[in-house]
Amino acid sequence: MLSLSGQLLKKLFLSFNDYLQELCSTQEVLGLSALDQNPFSSGPLPDFSRLSYLKTLRLQNTNIVGPLSFDHLPHLDVLDLSLNHLSGPIPMFKVTKFASLYYLDLSNNELSGKLSYTIGQLFNLILVSLLE
């Protein structure tokens, strides 16, 4: 079991582990979270609402399925959800919520629709990947 009680973390790298449920239930503020290449059981994008100050979220190749929902993570700089089984429409990125986002990788998923014009209002954005 992962225990973070009483600790304020700034960076956490848990690639190639299986700590997702414990991490999502913690109340600590995390600045960076790399959880890629974890053998999570197939399921929806986890609830990171307790980690609202999360700056980097890398969950590539983690068997996540279903629609995207991350409006509750307004401080994201990096979002990498590539190589999963996410479906549904490509979300709208509002500049008021994602002003600091500079890296967005949603490639190799099953997303549909067009990228909203609002993506052009994210002036810090330097990489967008939606490749199939």
Side-chain angles (χ1 to χ4, degrees):
M1 176 187 268
L2 177 65
S3 176
L4 301 173
S5 60
Q7 301 298 316
L8 179 63
L9 298 178
K10 294 200 183 240
K11 295 183 180 183
L12 179 64
F13 297 94
L14 291 174
S15 300
F16 298 96
N17 284 288
D18 193 13
Y19 291 123
L20 186 61
Q21 295 299 359
E22 290 88 352
L23 178 65
C24 292
S25 64
T26 188
Q27 294 184 22
E28 287 78 9
V29 175
L30 299 176
L32 179 66
S33 183
L35 296 164
D36 54 300
Q37 305 295 327
N38 278 284
F40 306 142
S41 58
S42 184
L45 187 63
D47 178 12
F48 289 101
S49 60
R50 290 185 173 198
L51 305 175
S52 63
Y53 285 94
L54 198 64
K55 295 182 100 23
T56 299
L57 182 58
R58 296 179 188 269
L59 288 171
Q60 66 266 34
N61 198 20
T62 54
N63 294 322
I64 299 171
V65 299
L68 285 173
S69 176
F70 45 84
D71 279 350
H72 54 284
L73 299 172
H75 299 283
L76 283 177
D77 293 336
V78 173
L79 178 61
D80 187 346
L81 300 174
S82 61
L83 299 166
N84 283 293
H85 304 283
L86 296 168
S87 60
I90 297 170
M92 181 183 289
F93 292 90
K94 299 175 185 171
V95 70
T96 55
K97 286 198 173 198
F98 297 103
S100 61
L101 190 67
Y102 69 86
Y103 183 98
L104 175 64
D105 190 347
L106 301 175
S107 64
N108 295 295
N109 280 290
E110 300 157 16
L111 299 171
S112 60
K114 295 180 180 180
L115 194 58
S116 171
Y117 72 92
T118 59
I119 200 84
Q121 297 172 345
L122 302 177
F123 297 113
N124 291 320
L125 199 58
I126 57 174
L127 181 129
V128 176
S129 181
L130 299 169
L131 297 171
E132 289 187 29

